[in-house]
Every structure is written in C-alpha cells, then in structure tokens.
Amino acid sequence: MRRVERAFVMLNGTVLVLLLATMSVVVGWNVAGRYLTGNSLTWADEVARYSMIWLTFLGSGLALREGAHAAITNAQDALPTQGQLALRAAILVVMFSFFAFMVWVGIDYMNRMAIQKSAALRVPMKWVYAAMPAGFVLMIVHLALIAPKYWRAGQQHSDEAPLG
C-alpha cells in the first residue's frame, strides 16, 4: 500500500511539473516572440491561464498532504488526548464532507459550461472547469491516505507534515 501511495504522490507531482513547464515554455516563448519579432501567440494567454487553474486544483491535494494550507493547531494542542482525538475526527468529517460537496458543485458547474468555448483555443470550457472536481477528488484521496495518522497522532511521520 505504501508503494502505491508513493507512486500516486509522485504521479501527482509529475503532472504538476509538466503543467508548470508547459506554462513556462509557452509564456517565455510568447514574451520572446513579442519583443524579438513583434508577434505573439494568440493562444498563449489562455494556455497560461488554464494551466495555472489546473496547477492550483491538482496541487491542492499535495499542499494538504504537506500541511501547507492554513491551520490553527492551538485549540488541538490545548485539549487533553481524548479531546484532541474528537476534534481531529470532527475536522476530518468536515473536510471530507466539504471536499465531496465541492466535487458535486464542480461537476454541476462544469456541465453548465459545456456549451461555452474559449475565445482563442475554442476548447469547451467544461474542460477548464473540470479542474475543480478533479482537484477536490485528489484532495479526498490525499486526505484519506493521511487521515489515520492525523487522527491518531495529530501529526505525520517525519517524511510527512501535519494536516492541521
């Protein structure tokens, strides 16, 4: 199971690196072209914008895993052990519920945008808005993978940061 989890995390990170590289190359090429030849790519702005949207949502699960989202741990730390366990369980239930709700909202919004197309690329906007449910599904998976350790100890092992 640990090997599958590491492969999942590595795949998620690799996709982020590829998206960031694509965005960087397109923007760099566009800037160079604009200043060297006076011409720019008509679609570069859209590719950069949509890549950033996908980067944000696909990276949010890894940020959750690393404890990079805002968190207030003082209340947890001030409670006795049983209180900490109860609070962490409540936090996990709220997070799972919110993420699932956002998947549902994201799919609904994605379907509403199915007929709209982007201006330059003429890509159906549902594929841009698909980043939201995809990102929240990844957050659910990442949370499910780290939840047992978070609930038991309030912090991850040395190679994983606390959830919150």
Side-chain angles (χ1 to χ4, degrees):
M1 182 64 177
R2 192 90 163 129
R3 187 183 303 173
V4 172
E5 182 177 350
R6 285 184 189 174
F8 172 69
V9 170
M10 184 184 293
L11 178 63
N12 194 175
T14 301
V15 169
L16 294 176
V17 168
L18 292 173
L19 277 170
L20 184 60
T22 300
M23 187 176 71
S24 299
V25 167
V26 168
V27 170
W29 187 271
N30 198 39
V31 169
R34 187 178 306 134
Y35 287 105
L36 296 175
T37 67
N39 296 321
S40 63
L41 304 170
T42 57
W43 45 267
D45 181 49
E46 279 188 12
V47 169
R49 185 179 318 122
Y50 301 154
S51 295
M52 181 63 76
I53 291 168
W54 275 91
L55 274 166
T56 300
F57 281 105
L58 296 183
S60 61
L62 285 177
L64 175 72
R65 176 181 212 73
E66 298 297 323
H69 292 286
I72 301 171
T73 60
N74 294 356
Q76 284 184 50
D77 297 340
L79 294 173
T81 303
Q82 292 303 315
Q84 288 182 13
L85 289 172
L87 181 58
R88 283 189 224 118
I91 289 169
L92 288 170
V93 167
V94 168
M95 290 177 74
F96 276 120
S97 300
F98 177 72
F99 296 163
F101 174 73
M102 293 307 292
V103 169
W104 178 71
V105 168
I107 290 170
D108 181 53
Y109 198 64
M110 182 183 84
N111 290 331
R112 290 174 190 248
M113 296 294 119
I115 59 171
Q116 184 179 355
K117 293 189 186 283
S118 67
L121 293 172
R122 307 301 299 158
V123 172
M125 290 301 290
K126 74 176 183 177
W127 297 116
V128 176
Y129 290 106
M132 183 178 172
F136 278 103
V137 165
L138 285 176
M139 288 184 80
I140 289 170
V141 173
H142 281 290
L143 184 58
L145 291 170
I146 65 172
K149 291 176 190 164
Y150 168 73
W151 182 72
R152 281 193 312 268
Q155 62 183 351
Q156 307 307 311
H157 294 294
S158 61
D159 64 335
E160 299 174 18
L163 174 64

